[in-house]
Amino acid sequence: AMPSAFDAWLALRGLRTFALRMRQACANAQQIAEWLGRHKRVSHVYYPGLPDDDGHAAACALFRPGFFGAMVAFEVEDLDRAGAFALVERLRLVRSVTSLGDVYTLVLHPASTSHRWLTPEQRAAQGITEGTLRLSIGIENADDLIADLDQALHGL
């Protein structure tokens, strides 16, 4: 494919601030993952920056310290699909989407989006329950994002 001149210009412009945006998103993701790990309603957090994550050792070997990415998944204990949707609807700063990647923090429900074609048994084998949510962390203030997640979780 051949990008247009405008698309090429936009890509080049975005590359100029990519390092700053990635640094902020990674720092936010680490802070949010740690907070989620302490929340009483969250039963599991998937983030390679956490020492108890299954992929932590590999991530430490592959990535620079502090740059474990901006994707965080977490499971809310005993949450069904309706409850997951209710939680997502309660979020005010975090935006609900069907695909990820932006400067804004985004959330999606994998069981009904990215993994909807799998059977419930196949999703369970991959650790994806109805209470699993995935965040693509953006560059907003992490404390604001945590407050938004907290009020949504407390509303369940």
Side-chain angles (χ1 to χ4, degrees), residues 91-154:
L91 294 167
R92 297 295 168 241
L93 294 177
V94 179
R95 300 171 181 201
S96 177
V97 296
T98 56
S99 70
L100 300 174
D102 203 321
V103 295
Y104 304 109
T105 298
L106 309 171
V107 63
L108 68 71
H109 181 250
S112 64
T113 56
S114 60
H115 292 74
R116 69 185 173 281
W117 51 275
L118 296 177
T119 67
E121 296 77 24
Q122 291 170 319
R123 285 194 302 267
Q126 293 185 19
I128 299 170
T129 68
E130 292 294 337
T132 302
L133 295 169
R134 188 179 306 138
L135 297 169
S136 174
I137 306 296
I139 62 173
E140 306 95 334
N141 181 289
D143 292 333
D144 291 343
L145 295 170
I146 287 170
D148 192 29
L149 289 163
D150 194 40
Q151 65 82 24
L153 285 163
H154 276 93

Side-chain angles (χ1 to χ4, degrees), residues 41-43 75-81 83-84 129-132 156:
R41 289 296 313 266
V42 176
S43 57
E75 184 176 342
V76 180
E77 192 168 20
D78 299 324
L79 195 66
D80 60 8
R81 186 174 288 214
T129 68
E130 292 294 337
T132 302
L156 296 177

